[in-house]
Amino acid sequence: MAVRLQDVAKQAGVSVKTVSNVVTGHVHVAPATRERVQAAIDILGYRPNLSARNLRHGRSGLIALALPELDSPYFAELARFVVQAAEEHGLTVLIDQTDGLADRERLVMAGFRSHLIDGLIMSPVGLGPTEIAEHDGHIPLVLLGEKVGAGSADHIAIDNVAAAREATEHLLALGRRRVGVVGNQADSPAGSGVARLRRQGYEQALQWRGIAADPTLIADVPTFGRKQGADATARLLDSGARPDALFCFNDILALGALRMLAERGLRVPSDVAVIGMDDIEDGRWSTPTLSTIVPDKVEIARCAVEMLLNRMGITGAMPSPARDVRAGFALVARESTFGRT
Amino acid sequence: MAVRLQDVAKQAGVSVKTVSNVVTGHVHVAPATRERVQAAIDILGYRPNLSARNLRHGRSGLIALALPELDSPYFAELARFVVQAAEEHGLTVLIDQTDGLADRERLVMAGFRSHLIDGLIMSPVGLGPTEIAEHDGHIPLVLLGEKVGAGSADHIAIDNVAAAREATEHLLALGRRRVGVVGNQADSPAGSGVARLRRQGYEQALQWRGIAADPTLIADVPTFGRKQGADATARLLDSGARPDALFCFNDILALGALRMLAERGLRVPSDVAVIGMDDIEDGRWSTPTLSTIVPDKVEIARCAVEMLLNRMGITGAMPSPARDVRAGFALVARESTFGRT
DNA sequence: CATGTGCATTACAACGTTGTACACGGCCCG
DNA sequence: CGGGCCGTGTACAACGTTGTAATGCACATG
């Protein structure tokens, strides 16, 4: 069952180390020997034991990607790019679902996969900034998303304030003046990150146009789901706030909003224009198609992996100041703000 | 940096093995000793080295899940359940994206992650049944989806023929007589699996009602994407086939179809009823909401993991006949077949 | 008081791999 | 013709953990 270097060595009539050298290609091996060893490898069907290898040089080549949800399109797409980027560097990605639960995030960060993992890319939701800052740095860490100010960890995200400002401005430029917000989150210690920043952007855009913020246009949600988007939209419509546009804090909320608007017989965009954020695949095929902020997911993924590698390279406790990178984004106008409907 | 059992042992004044015993809790250890060791562990922040552990007992506790796409909702949702099921058995899942490429599937099956992985759950797309049957069994394998007849591997899927029959019958029961198909795939060696079975079910349903199959109502797609669904629907509409219902071979195709129908000004379901398969989250929030076949994803995931465990348990080459399990499914009628629109 | 019993703890080896240090042989050069 | 060098190959140890077998010890028993 288990074919070891030793078996190959015996078969080829060489030492174990020589076989190892052939497998890894490290040292000069005479072509004749190499060929003989290779033949033995093929015959026996040898496969290196990665556990042993990892044990030997203290690296596993595995990194973990901790995300709240795999079945949220944004994270699924992001995961794909992270896996690709990691692969380019010879790393394998192990995906961990935290469900946005603080407990699970804490567990992952504490390194319950111990030495199995060389590094961690995490998108924290449940954990507050203070708790993240307590990260003891025993494992290289890169944070995705909106939690800022973690001491020993790098961080990458788009400029959420600017992006939200641009989204809002887009709606205002269409002449809309009662721009509703779907996705606000009252300041809970956890989860406040994204929502707070995006709301800031929204308010800045209003301010620049000299429009007074109307608190009745703000709808809160407990989490970012289609149902929550639909519910919040319903509340907004029922409240008599009469929005002529909706800025949804992400595309999933927006899809829920579109659904609710359709149910209420409101036309998009003529009655209510809608914009989201994230550019998930669904938004390109919904009816109407969804205008949105497109974060550069490829850049985010690539950058996260590179920062992690960087941090992994530094073996010891060398602090090396935490980097905070802003990824690019762009606005794409689709039917939900420009359509003919 | 690296805290080993030895370090803890020295700190606690006991032998390495005793610490190991405390950590694993295997043998009787005197309460006093246990306490002392535990204290040392806490002080030093000891974390077991999984690589060493794995090397020691030849298991890694890792299984791989090879899927065509992470950002396809069906697979993302399935992945979630597999991860959960695996966790219940103390296993960690490593997700591998094959992109439906035969090369990558071959690579994964050949075990390029070598001894890192104890088992593999795979949903093959690019690989044909013959190639899968050549699996040399060096790694326990469970197949998801429609590729049948793999010698040394277990297999789980819903009864696609029956499911497709039920979906079609649902449309026929509404009085529709010109049921179009979106998602057929001309018999390519690869990829023919799902499409062929679902088409069989479609034809059976027609036959039972004594309705002649009309080839002009069948639209082929190269892959299962929203765009492909939209394109195929457009072709169907342009061809003059005049369908009054569409059976889409999965929900993604159906969402594309819904989009195209809306663009053409056709109402769903009054002009054209639409049903899909897979029950992805998006379908519950589209406009109109999407009728579909709901596969029991939880059962599929749990069963796959259990079969894999079973196969992993048998250490040697014990063939143990390959099992072929049918998972349950149900039809859910939503607005796209029952709505008031 | 000697012996047997059972529990707590220990020493040792092994899992499969690879880095280090070294041995061997042939060849070039002085 | 001898010394050194380079190109190949080898022996050994170590990575951190845990199963096995053995040790020490206290207590109960004959």
Side-chain angles (χ1 to χ4, degrees):
Chain A
M1 189 61 191
V3 183
R4 328 196 276 309
L5 280 182
Q6 209 177 22
D7 303 320
V8 179
K10 195 156 59 180
Q11 168 90 10
V14 294
S15 83
V16 178
K17 188 65 221 287
T18 300
V19 181
S20 168
N21 287 335
V22 171
V23 173
T24 56
H26 265 324
V27 194
H28 278 216
V29 178
T33 320
R34 157 157 288 134
E35 205 171 330
R36 199 149 38 95
V37 171
Q38 190 57 54
I41 288 176
D42 293 341
I43 290 171
L44 298 176
Y46 167 78
R47 296 163 192 293
N49 181 323
L50 296 193
S51 289
R53 220 178 240 185
N54 297 342
L55 172 59
R56 194 51 177 59
H57 45 348
R59 290 267 170 97
S60 67
L62 278 179
I63 63 174
L65 174 63
L67 298 174
E69 297 157 339
L70 260 182
D71 43 7
S72 144
Y74 174 71
F75 288 118
E77 293 175 22
L78 190 61
R80 163 178 222 128
F81 293 125
V82 169
V83 170
Q84 270 169 10
E87 204 160 80
E88 284 167 19
H89 294 278
L91 292 174
T92 300
V93 176
L94 199 151
I95 297 174
D96 240 312
Q97 246 180 122
T98 61
D99 293 322
L101 267 42
D103 277 351
R104 288 188 58 88
E105 292 183 354
R106 208 172 290 125
L107 202 65
V108 169
M109 224 175 59
F112 82 114
R113 298 233 193 286
S114 319
H115 296 249
L116 225 196
I117 276 168
D118 296 337
L120 172 62
I121 299 177
M122 172 153 104
S123 176
V125 173
L127 249 41
T130 49
E131 213 162 353
I132 290 172
E134 284 169 8
H135 168 65
D136 55 1
H138 70 90
I139 190 173
L141 175 63
V142 171
L143 296 173
L144 301 180
E146 335 310 342
K147 301 287 179 148
V148 272
S152 58
D154 294 314
H155 174 242
I156 179 167
I158 63 169
D159 184 338
N160 272 279
V161 178
R165 200 169 54 220
E166 196 165 324
T168 310
E169 173 56 28
H170 173 67
L171 296 172
L172 296 174
L174 296 173
R176 311 297 166 124
R177 283 301 174 271
R178 299 196 54 75
V179 178
V181 162
V182 173
N184 188 56
Q185 301 195 302
D187 277 60
S188 57
S192 58
V194 207
R196 210 189 57 244
L197 295 175
R198 294 186 180 173
R199 173 148 181 205
Q200 262 178 42
Y202 164 79
E203 283 166 356
Q204 283 184 10
L206 291 184
Q207 207 172 351
W208 289 7
R209 287 253 179 184
I211 298 170
D214 178 353
T216 65
L217 282 169
I218 309 287
D220 281 49
V221 297
T223 60
F224 283 17
R226 283 177 184 78
K227 176 163 175 35
Q228 288 73 32
D231 291 350
T233 304
R235 284 202 310 278
L236 225 40
L237 297 177
D238 294 340
S239 72
R242 299 212 142 265
D244 56 10
L246 290 180
F247 170 31
C248 303
F249 281 179
N250 82 5
D251 281 0
I252 302 228
L253 290 169
L255 290 174
L258 285 183
R259 166 79 203 158
M260 183 51 65
L261 291 169
E263 268 181 32
R264 298 301 177 90
L266 289 166
R267 283 161 309 165
V268 176
S270 54
D271 294 330
V272 179
V274 175
I275 192 167
M277 288 185 74
D278 285 354
D279 186 36
I280 67 177
E281 178 73 12
D282 316 64
R284 297 179 206 169
W285 298 94
S286 57
T287 307
T289 53
L290 184 64
S291 298
T292 193
I293 295 286
V294 185
D296 191 337
K297 292 173 201 158
V298 172
E299 186 193 352
I300 293 176
R302 183 151 41 207
C303 187
V305 170
E306 271 160 20
M307 285 198 296
L308 193 61
L309 273 170
N310 218 307
R311 206 155 275 279
M312 280 162 50
I314 301 151
T315 34
M318 248 302 267
S320 114
R323 292 173 56 198
D324 196 338
V325 178
R326 291 288 155 92
F329 67 86
L331 187 147
V332 174
R334 301 207 184 96
E335 292 169 5
S336 71
T337 58
F338 264 151
R340 300 146 308 202
T341 310
Chain B
M1 187 65 191
V3 183
R4 327 194 279 308
L5 281 181
Q6 209 178 21
D7 302 320
V8 179
K10 194 156 60 178
Q11 168 90 13
V14 294
S15 83
V16 178
K17 188 65 219 288
T18 300
V19 181
S20 168
N21 287 336
V22 170
V23 173
T24 57
H26 266 322
V27 195
H28 279 214
V29 177
T33 318
R34 156 158 287 132
E35 204 171 330
R36 199 149 37 94
V37 170
Q38 190 57 54
I41 288 176
D42 294 341
I43 290 171
L44 298 176
Y46 167 78
R47 296 160 193 292
N49 181 324
L50 295 193
S51 289
R53 222 179 238 183
N54 297 341
L55 172 60
R56 193 52 177 64
H57 44 349
R59 290 268 169 97
S60 67
L62 277 180
I63 63 175
L65 174 63
L67 298 174
E69 297 157 337
L70 260 182
D71 42 6
S72 144
Y74 174 71
F75 288 118
E77 292 176 23
L78 190 60
R80 163 177 223 129
F81 293 125
V82 170
V83 170
Q84 270 168 11
E87 203 160 82
E88 284 166 19
H89 294 277
L91 293 173
T92 300
V93 176
L94 198 151
I95 297 173
D96 238 312
Q97 243 180 121
T98 61
D99 292 323
L101 267 41
D103 276 351
R104 288 187 59 89
E105 292 183 356
R106 208 173 290 127
L107 201 66
V108 169
M109 225 175 59
F112 81 116
R113 298 233 194 285
S114 319
H115 296 249
L116 224 196
I117 277 167
D118 296 337
L120 173 63
I121 299 177
M122 171 153 104
S123 176
V125 172
L127 249 41
T130 49
E131 214 163 350
I132 290 172
E134 284 169 8
H135 168 67
D136 56 1
H138 70 90
I139 191 174
L141 176 64
V142 171
L143 296 173
L144 301 179
E146 337 307 342
K147 302 286 176 150
V148 271
S152 57
D154 295 315
H155 174 241
I156 180 166
I158 63 169
D159 184 338
N160 272 279
V161 177
R165 199 168 55 220
E166 195 164 325
T168 310
E169 173 56 29
H170 174 66
L171 296 172
L172 296 174
L174 296 174
R176 310 298 164 124
R177 283 302 173 270
R178 298 196 53 74
V179 177
V181 163
V182 173
N184 190 56
Q185 299 195 303
D187 275 60
S188 58
S192 58
V194 207
R196 211 188 56 245
L197 295 176
R198 294 186 181 174
R199 174 147 179 205
Q200 264 178 42
Y202 164 78
E203 282 166 355
Q204 283 184 11
L206 291 184
Q207 206 173 352
W208 288 8
R209 287 252 179 182
I211 299 172
D214 179 351
T216 66
L217 281 169
I218 310 288
D220 280 49
V221 297
T223 59
F224 284 17
R226 284 177 184 79
K227 177 164 172 36
Q228 288 72 33
D231 291 350
T233 302
R235 284 202 311 278
L236 226 41
L237 297 176
D238 293 340
S239 72
R242 299 211 142 267
D244 56 10
L246 290 180
F247 170 32
C248 303
F249 281 178
N250 83 4
D251 280 0
I252 302 226
L253 291 169
L255 291 174
L258 286 183
R259 167 78 203 159
M260 183 51 65
L261 291 168
E263 269 181 30
R264 297 302 178 88
L266 290 165
R267 284 161 309 165
V268 177
S270 55
D271 294 330
V272 180
V274 175
I275 190 166
M277 288 184 73
D278 286 354
D279 185 36
I280 66 177
E281 178 73 12
D282 315 65
R284 298 181 206 167
W285 297 93
S286 58
T287 308
T289 55
L290 184 63
S291 298
T292 193
I293 295 286
V294 185
D296 191 337
K297 291 173 201 159
V298 172
E299 186 193 352
I300 292 176
R302 184 151 39 207
C303 187
V305 170
E306 271 161 19
M307 286 198 296
L308 193 61
L309 272 170
N310 219 304
R311 206 155 275 278
M312 280 162 49
I314 300 152
T315 35
M318 249 299 267
S320 116
R323 291 173 56 199
D324 196 339
V325 177
R326 291 290 155 91
F329 67 87
L331 187 147
V332 173
R334 301 207 185 95
E335 292 169 6
S336 70
T337 59
F338 264 150
R340 301 145 307 201
T341 310

